[in-house]
CSV table of all heavy atoms in Angstrom, one decimal:
chain,number,residue,atom,x,y,z
A,1123,VAL,N,10.7,-9.3,-2.4
A,1123,VAL,CA,9.6,-10.3,-2.7
A,1123,VAL,C,10.1,-11.7,-2.4
A,1123,VAL,O,9.4,-12.6,-1.9
A,1123,VAL,CB,9.1,-10.2,-4.1
A,1123,VAL,CG1,8.2,-11.4,-4.5
A,1123,VAL,CG2,8.2,-8.9,-4.2
A,1157,GLY,N,7.8,-5.7,-24.3
A,1157,GLY,CA,7.4,-4.4,-24.9
A,1157,GLY,C,6.3,-3.8,-24.1
A,1157,GLY,O,5.9,-2.7,-24.4
A,1179,VAL,N,7.8,-1.3,-9.1
A,1179,VAL,CA,8.1,-1.1,-10.5
A,1179,VAL,C,8.9,0.2,-10.8
A,1179,VAL,O,8.8,1.2,-10.0
A,1179,VAL,CB,6.9,-1.1,-11.4
A,1179,VAL,CG1,6.2,-2.4,-11.3
A,1179,VAL,CG2,5.9,0.0,-11.0
A,1198,LEU,N,-0.6,0.8,-12.7
A,1198,LEU,CA,-1.9,1.5,-12.7
A,1198,LEU,C,-2.9,0.6,-13.5
A,1198,LEU,O,-4.0,0.5,-13.1
A,1198,LEU,CB,-1.8,2.9,-13.3
A,1198,LEU,CG,-0.9,3.9,-12.6
A,1198,LEU,CD1,-0.9,5.2,-13.2
A,1198,LEU,CD2,-1.3,4.0,-11.1
A,1245,ILE,N,-7.7,11.8,-10.2
A,1245,ILE,CA,-6.9,12.4,-11.2
A,1245,ILE,C,-5.9,11.4,-11.9
A,1245,ILE,O,-5.4,11.6,-13.0
A,1245,ILE,CB,-6.1,13.6,-10.6
A,1245,ILE,CG1,-5.6,14.6,-11.7
A,1245,ILE,CG2,-5.0,13.2,-9.7
A,1245,ILE,CD1,-5.2,15.9,-11.2
A,1250,PRO,N,-10.3,14.0,-20.0
A,1250,PRO,CA,-9.1,13.9,-20.8
A,1250,PRO,C,-7.8,14.1,-20.0
A,1250,PRO,O,-7.8,14.7,-19.0
A,1250,PRO,CB,-9.3,15.0,-21.9
A,1250,PRO,CG,-10.1,16.0,-21.2
A,1250,PRO,CD,-11.0,15.3,-20.2
A,1274,ILE,N,-17.3,7.2,-5.1
A,1274,ILE,CA,-17.1,7.7,-3.7
A,1274,ILE,C,-17.8,6.8,-2.7
A,1274,ILE,O,-17.2,6.5,-1.7
A,1274,ILE,CB,-17.7,9.2,-3.7
A,1274,ILE,CG1,-17.0,10.1,-4.7
A,1274,ILE,CG2,-17.5,9.7,-2.2
A,1274,ILE,CD1,-17.6,11.4,-4.9
A,1298,ALA,N,-12.4,20.3,-0.5
A,1298,ALA,CA,-13.7,20.7,-0.9
A,1298,ALA,C,-13.9,22.2,-1.0
A,1298,ALA,O,-14.9,22.7,-1.5
A,1298,ALA,CB,-14.7,20.2,0.1
A,1360,SER,N,4.4,7.2,6.5
A,1360,SER,CA,5.4,6.1,6.7
A,1360,SER,C,6.5,6.6,7.5
A,1360,SER,O,7.1,5.9,8.3
A,1360,SER,CB,5.9,5.7,5.3
A,1360,SER,OG,6.7,6.6,4.8
A,1385,VAL,N,4.4,-0.1,0.3
A,1385,VAL,CA,4.1,1.2,-0.1
A,1385,VAL,C,5.3,1.9,-0.8
A,1385,VAL,O,5.1,2.7,-1.7
A,1385,VAL,CB,3.6,2.1,1.1
A,1385,VAL,CG1,3.6,3.6,0.8
A,1385,VAL,CG2,2.3,1.6,1.6
A,1394,GLY,N,19.8,-4.7,-5.4
A,1394,GLY,CA,20.8,-5.7,-5.6
A,1394,GLY,C,21.9,-5.7,-4.5
A,1394,GLY,O,22.9,-6.4,-4.6
A,1402,ALA,N,8.2,-4.5,4.9
A,1402,ALA,CA,6.9,-4.0,4.3
A,1402,ALA,C,6.3,-5.0,3.4
A,1402,ALA,O,5.1,-5.2,3.4
A,1402,ALA,CB,7.2,-2.7,3.5
A,1407,LEU,N,2.4,-9.6,2.9
A,1407,LEU,CA,2.0,-11.0,2.9
A,1407,LEU,C,1.0,-11.3,4.0
A,1407,LEU,O,0.1,-12.1,3.8
A,1407,LEU,CB,3.3,-11.9,3.0
A,1407,LEU,CG,3.0,-13.4,3.1
A,1407,LEU,CD1,2.2,-13.9,1.9
A,1407,LEU,CD2,4.3,-14.2,3.2
A,1424,LEU,N,2.5,-14.3,11.8
A,1424,LEU,CA,3.5,-13.7,11.0
A,1424,LEU,C,3.8,-12.3,11.5
A,1424,LEU,O,5.0,-11.9,11.6
A,1424,LEU,CB,3.1,-13.6,9.5
A,1424,LEU,CG,4.1,-13.1,8.5
A,1424,LEU,CD1,5.4,-13.7,8.6
A,1424,LEU,CD2,3.5,-13.2,7.1
A,1443,SER,N,19.2,1.7,14.7
A,1443,SER,CA,19.6,2.7,15.7
A,1443,SER,C,20.7,2.1,16.6
A,1443,SER,O,20.8,0.8,16.6
A,1443,SER,CB,18.4,3.2,16.5
A,1443,SER,OG,17.8,2.1,17.2
A,1445,GLY,N,23.2,0.3,19.0
A,1445,GLY,CA,23.1,-0.9,19.8
A,1445,GLY,C,22.3,-2.0,19.2
A,1445,GLY,O,22.3,-3.1,19.7
A,1466,LEU,N,5.1,-21.5,15.7
A,1466,LEU,CA,4.2,-22.4,15.1
A,1466,LEU,C,4.2,-23.8,15.8
A,1466,LEU,O,3.3,-24.6,15.5
A,1466,LEU,CB,4.5,-22.7,13.6
A,1466,LEU,CG,4.1,-21.5,12.6
A,1466,LEU,CD1,4.6,-21.8,11.2
A,1466,LEU,CD2,2.6,-21.2,12.7
Side-chain angles (χ1 to χ4, degrees):
V1123 165
V1179 297
L1198 297 183
I1245 199 164
I1274 302 169
S1360 75
V1385 167
L1407 172 60
L1424 183 51
S1443 59
L1466 289 177

